[in-house]
mmCIF file of all heavy atoms in Angstrom:
data_model
loop_
_atom_site.group_PDB
_atom_site.id
_atom_site.type_symbol
_atom_site.label_atom_id
_atom_site.label_comp_id
_atom_site.label_asym_id
_atom_site.label_seq_id
_atom_site.Cartn_x
_atom_site.Cartn_y
_atom_site.Cartn_z
ATOM 1 N N LEU K 1 11.341 -4.454 7.395
ATOM 2 C CA LEU K 1 12.010 -3.245 7.865
ATOM 3 C C LEU K 1 12.778 -3.509 9.156
ATOM 4 O O LEU K 1 13.907 -3.037 9.335
ATOM 5 C CB LEU K 1 10.979 -2.134 8.076
ATOM 6 C CG LEU K 1 10.353 -1.528 6.812
ATOM 7 C CD1 LEU K 1 9.219 -0.580 7.190
ATOM 8 C CD2 LEU K 1 11.399 -0.805 5.974
ATOM 9 N N ASP K 2 12.184 -4.276 10.048
ATOM 10 C CA ASP K 2 12.832 -4.621 11.312
ATOM 11 C C ASP K 2 14.096 -5.442 11.078
ATOM 12 O O ASP K 2 15.053 -5.354 11.853
ATOM 13 C CB ASP K 2 11.848 -5.393 12.188
ATOM 14 C CG ASP K 2 12.393 -5.655 13.585
ATOM 15 O OD1 ASP K 2 12.717 -4.670 14.278
ATOM 16 O OD2 ASP K 2 12.503 -6.836 13.976
ATOM 17 N N GLN K 3 14.096 -6.224 10.002
ATOM 18 C CA GLN K 3 15.267 -7.038 9.653
ATOM 19 C C GLN K 3 16.331 -6.225 8.923
ATOM 20 O O GLN K 3 17.422 -6.745 8.654
ATOM 21 C CB GLN K 3 14.850 -8.226 8.781
ATOM 22 C CG GLN K 3 14.015 -9.263 9.507
ATOM 23 C CD GLN K 3 13.519 -10.368 8.573
ATOM 24 O OE1 GLN K 3 13.511 -10.214 7.360
ATOM 25 N NE2 GLN K 3 13.101 -11.486 9.155
ATOM 26 N N GLY K 4 15.996 -4.982 8.578
ATOM 27 C CA GLY K 4 16.979 -4.130 7.914
ATOM 28 C C GLY K 4 16.852 -4.066 6.408
ATOM 29 O O GLY K 4 17.728 -3.494 5.737
ATOM 30 N N HIS K 5 15.763 -4.608 5.841
ATOM 31 C CA HIS K 5 15.576 -4.573 4.393
ATOM 32 C C HIS K 5 14.944 -3.255 3.963
ATOM 33 O O HIS K 5 14.195 -2.619 4.725
ATOM 34 C CB HIS K 5 14.685 -5.733 3.947
ATOM 35 C CG HIS K 5 15.229 -7.086 4.311
ATOM 36 N ND1 HIS K 5 16.406 -7.567 3.801
ATOM 37 C CD2 HIS K 5 14.747 -8.050 5.147
ATOM 38 C CE1 HIS K 5 16.634 -8.778 4.299
ATOM 39 N NE2 HIS K 5 15.642 -9.092 5.125
ATOM 40 N N ASP K 6 15.226 -2.865 2.737
ATOM 41 C CA ASP K 6 14.656 -1.651 2.164
ATOM 42 C C ASP K 6 13.422 -2.046 1.353
ATOM 43 O O ASP K 6 13.537 -2.743 0.337
ATOM 44 C CB ASP K 6 15.693 -0.974 1.261
ATOM 45 C CG ASP K 6 15.227 0.368 0.737
ATOM 46 O OD1 ASP K 6 14.179 0.861 1.202
ATOM 47 O OD2 ASP K 6 15.900 0.913 -0.161
ATOM 48 N N VAL K 7 12.245 -1.635 1.797
ATOM 49 C CA VAL K 7 11.003 -1.961 1.095
ATOM 50 C C VAL K 7 10.129 -0.719 1.002
ATOM 51 O O VAL K 7 10.289 0.233 1.775
ATOM 52 C CB VAL K 7 10.209 -3.092 1.805
ATOM 53 C CG1 VAL K 7 10.989 -4.390 1.803
ATOM 54 C CG2 VAL K 7 9.842 -2.685 3.220
ATOM 55 N N LEU K 8 9.198 -0.745 0.050
ATOM 56 C CA LEU K 8 8.245 0.336 -0.146
ATOM 57 C C LEU K 8 6.843 -0.171 0.137
ATOM 58 O O LEU K 8 6.556 -1.363 -0.057
ATOM 59 C CB LEU K 8 8.329 0.870 -1.576
ATOM 60 C CG LEU K 8 9.655 1.533 -1.960
ATOM 61 C CD1 LEU K 8 9.717 1.763 -3.466
ATOM 62 C CD2 LEU K 8 9.852 2.831 -1.197
ATOM 63 N N TYR K 9 5.975 0.733 0.571
ATOM 64 C CA TYR K 9 4.628 0.327 0.985
ATOM 65 C C TYR K 9 3.645 1.444 0.688
ATOM 66 O O TYR K 9 3.920 2.624 0.932
ATOM 67 C CB TYR K 9 4.621 0.029 2.487
ATOM 68 C CG TYR K 9 3.280 -0.404 3.054
ATOM 69 C CD1 TYR K 9 2.873 -1.729 2.973
ATOM 70 C CD2 TYR K 9 2.450 0.525 3.686
ATOM 71 C CE1 TYR K 9 1.654 -2.129 3.517
ATOM 72 C CE2 TYR K 9 1.231 0.130 4.230
ATOM 73 C CZ TYR K 9 0.840 -1.199 4.136
ATOM 74 O OH TYR K 9 -0.369 -1.590 4.663
ATOM 75 N N TYR K 10 2.488 1.043 0.138
ATOM 76 C CA TYR K 10 1.400 2.003 -0.043
ATOM 77 C C TYR K 10 0.080 1.335 0.312
ATOM 78 O O TYR K 10 -0.255 0.280 -0.241
ATOM 79 C CB TYR K 10 1.335 2.517 -1.483
ATOM 80 C CG TYR K 10 0.133 3.412 -1.718
ATOM 81 C CD1 TYR K 10 0.035 4.648 -1.084
ATOM 82 C CD2 TYR K 10 -0.913 2.997 -2.534
ATOM 83 C CE1 TYR K 10 -1.071 5.467 -1.272
ATOM 84 C CE2 TYR K 10 -2.020 3.808 -2.727
ATOM 85 C CZ TYR K 10 -2.099 5.039 -2.100
ATOM 86 O OH TYR K 10 -3.197 5.837 -2.278
ATOM 87 N N GLU K 11 -0.647 1.933 1.244
ATOM 88 C CA GLU K 11 -1.957 1.424 1.641
ATOM 89 C C GLU K 11 -3.011 2.463 1.293
ATOM 90 O O GLU K 11 -3.015 3.573 1.843
ATOM 91 C CB GLU K 11 -1.983 1.130 3.139
ATOM 92 C CG GLU K 11 -3.343 0.620 3.628
ATOM 93 C CD GLU K 11 -3.316 0.132 5.067
ATOM 94 O OE1 GLU K 11 -2.255 -0.393 5.502
ATOM 95 O OE2 GLU K 11 -4.343 0.270 5.758
ATOM 96 N N ASN K 12 -3.897 2.104 0.377
ATOM 97 C CA ASN K 12 -5.018 2.974 0.064
ATOM 98 C C ASN K 12 -6.020 2.870 1.211
ATOM 99 O O ASN K 12 -6.456 1.772 1.562
ATOM 100 C CB ASN K 12 -5.661 2.543 -1.261
ATOM 101 C CG ASN K 12 -6.685 3.532 -1.764
ATOM 102 O OD1 ASN K 12 -6.886 4.584 -1.163
ATOM 103 N ND2 ASN K 12 -7.333 3.199 -2.854
ATOM 104 N N ILE K 13 -6.394 3.981 1.794
ATOM 105 C CA ILE K 13 -7.266 3.949 2.965
ATOM 106 C C ILE K 13 -8.676 3.507 2.584
ATOM 107 O O ILE K 13 -9.500 3.198 3.426
ATOM 108 C CB ILE K 13 -7.275 5.318 3.674
ATOM 109 C CG1 ILE K 13 -5.827 5.721 4.013
ATOM 110 C CG2 ILE K 13 -8.084 5.282 4.958
ATOM 111 C CD1 ILE K 13 -5.074 4.709 4.872
ATOM 112 N N GLU K 14 -8.983 3.457 1.295
ATOM 113 C CA GLU K 14 -10.204 2.811 0.815
ATOM 114 C C GLU K 14 -9.819 2.009 -0.418
ATOM 115 O O GLU K 14 -8.655 1.963 -0.791
ATOM 116 C CB GLU K 14 -11.274 3.855 0.478
ATOM 117 C CG GLU K 14 -10.839 4.915 -0.505
ATOM 118 C CD GLU K 14 -11.887 5.998 -0.646
ATOM 119 O OE1 GLU K 14 -12.242 6.630 0.348
ATOM 120 O OE2 GLU K 14 -12.340 6.187 -1.771
ATOM 121 N N GLY K 15 -10.780 1.320 -1.036
ATOM 122 C CA GLY K 15 -10.418 0.653 -2.276
ATOM 123 C C GLY K 15 -10.838 -0.794 -2.400
ATOM 124 O O GLY K 15 -10.911 -1.310 -3.504
ATOM 125 N N GLY K 16 -11.118 -1.498 -1.283
ATOM 126 C CA GLY K 16 -11.549 -2.885 -1.393
ATOM 127 C C GLY K 16 -10.449 -3.788 -1.913
ATOM 128 O O GLY K 16 -9.276 -3.419 -1.963
ATOM 129 N N HIS K 17 -10.841 -5.006 -2.342
ATOM 130 C CA HIS K 17 -9.856 -5.998 -2.749
ATOM 131 C C HIS K 17 -9.179 -5.631 -4.060
ATOM 132 O O HIS K 17 -8.094 -6.115 -4.355
ATOM 133 C CB HIS K 17 -10.505 -7.376 -2.853
ATOM 134 C CG HIS K 17 -9.507 -8.476 -3.065
ATOM 135 N ND1 HIS K 17 -8.397 -8.642 -2.256
ATOM 136 C CD2 HIS K 17 -9.435 -9.454 -4.011
ATOM 137 C CE1 HIS K 17 -7.704 -9.682 -2.685
ATOM 138 N NE2 HIS K 17 -8.301 -10.180 -3.743
ATOM 139 N N GLY K 18 -9.810 -4.766 -4.864
ATOM 140 C CA GLY K 18 -9.164 -4.323 -6.089
ATOM 141 C C GLY K 18 -8.046 -3.326 -5.837
ATOM 142 O O GLY K 18 -7.278 -3.015 -6.746
ATOM 143 N N GLY K 19 -7.952 -2.813 -4.606
ATOM 144 C CA GLY K 19 -6.886 -1.894 -4.256
ATOM 145 C C GLY K 19 -7.177 -0.447 -4.588
ATOM 146 O O GLY K 19 -6.459 0.447 -4.165
ATOM 147 N N ALA K 20 -8.230 -0.173 -5.376
ATOM 148 C CA ALA K 20 -8.589 1.193 -5.740
ATOM 149 C C ALA K 20 -10.106 1.265 -5.862
ATOM 150 O O ALA K 20 -10.731 0.400 -6.474
ATOM 151 C CB ALA K 20 -7.932 1.590 -7.060
ATOM 152 N N ALA K 21 -10.704 2.306 -5.268
ATOM 153 C CA ALA K 21 -12.158 2.410 -5.224
ATOM 154 C C ALA K 21 -12.735 3.129 -6.426
ATOM 155 O O ALA K 21 -13.920 3.038 -6.691
ATOM 156 C CB ALA K 21 -12.586 3.123 -3.938
ATOM 157 N N ASN K 22 -11.895 3.879 -7.167
ATOM 158 C CA ASN K 22 -12.392 4.583 -8.340
ATOM 159 C C ASN K 22 -11.260 4.742 -9.344
ATOM 160 O O ASN K 22 -10.113 4.349 -9.093
ATOM 161 C CB ASN K 22 -13.010 5.928 -7.950
ATOM 162 C CG ASN K 22 -12.038 6.827 -7.199
ATOM 163 O OD1 ASN K 22 -10.932 7.080 -7.657
ATOM 164 N ND2 ASN K 22 -12.452 7.301 -6.023
ATOM 165 N N LEU K 23 -11.581 5.335 -10.501
ATOM 166 C CA LEU K 23 -10.614 5.425 -11.587
ATOM 167 C C LEU K 23 -9.449 6.341 -11.244
ATOM 168 O O LEU K 23 -8.314 6.099 -11.667
ATOM 169 C CB LEU K 23 -11.315 5.900 -12.857
ATOM 170 C CG LEU K 23 -12.424 4.972 -13.386
ATOM 171 C CD1 LEU K 23 -13.094 5.578 -14.600
ATOM 172 C CD2 LEU K 23 -11.864 3.598 -13.719
ATOM 173 N N LYS K 24 -9.699 7.407 -10.478
ATOM 174 C CA LYS K 24 -8.611 8.299 -10.085
ATOM 175 C C LYS K 24 -7.605 7.574 -9.203
ATOM 176 O O LYS K 24 -6.390 7.724 -9.368
ATOM 177 C CB LYS K 24 -9.176 9.528 -9.371
ATOM 178 C CG LYS K 24 -9.906 10.500 -10.295
ATOM 179 C CD LYS K 24 -10.337 11.758 -9.552
ATOM 180 C CE LYS K 24 -11.007 12.747 -10.507
ATOM 181 N NZ LYS K 24 -11.446 13.985 -9.808
#
């Protein structure tokens, strides 16, 4: 972003290494 590129980002505030803590 600082370099001027367009990127998207999503951080699950929980979830562990699988990225999601439950099925929802």
Side-chain angles (χ1 to χ4, degrees):
L1 289 172
D2 186 59
Q3 292 175 342
H5 301 296
D6 186 9
V7 296
L8 295 169
Y9 180 84
Y10 175 66
E11 179 171 328
N12 189 3
I13 305 303
E14 55 187 58
H17 189 52
N22 57 53
L23 298 177
K24 288 185 177 180

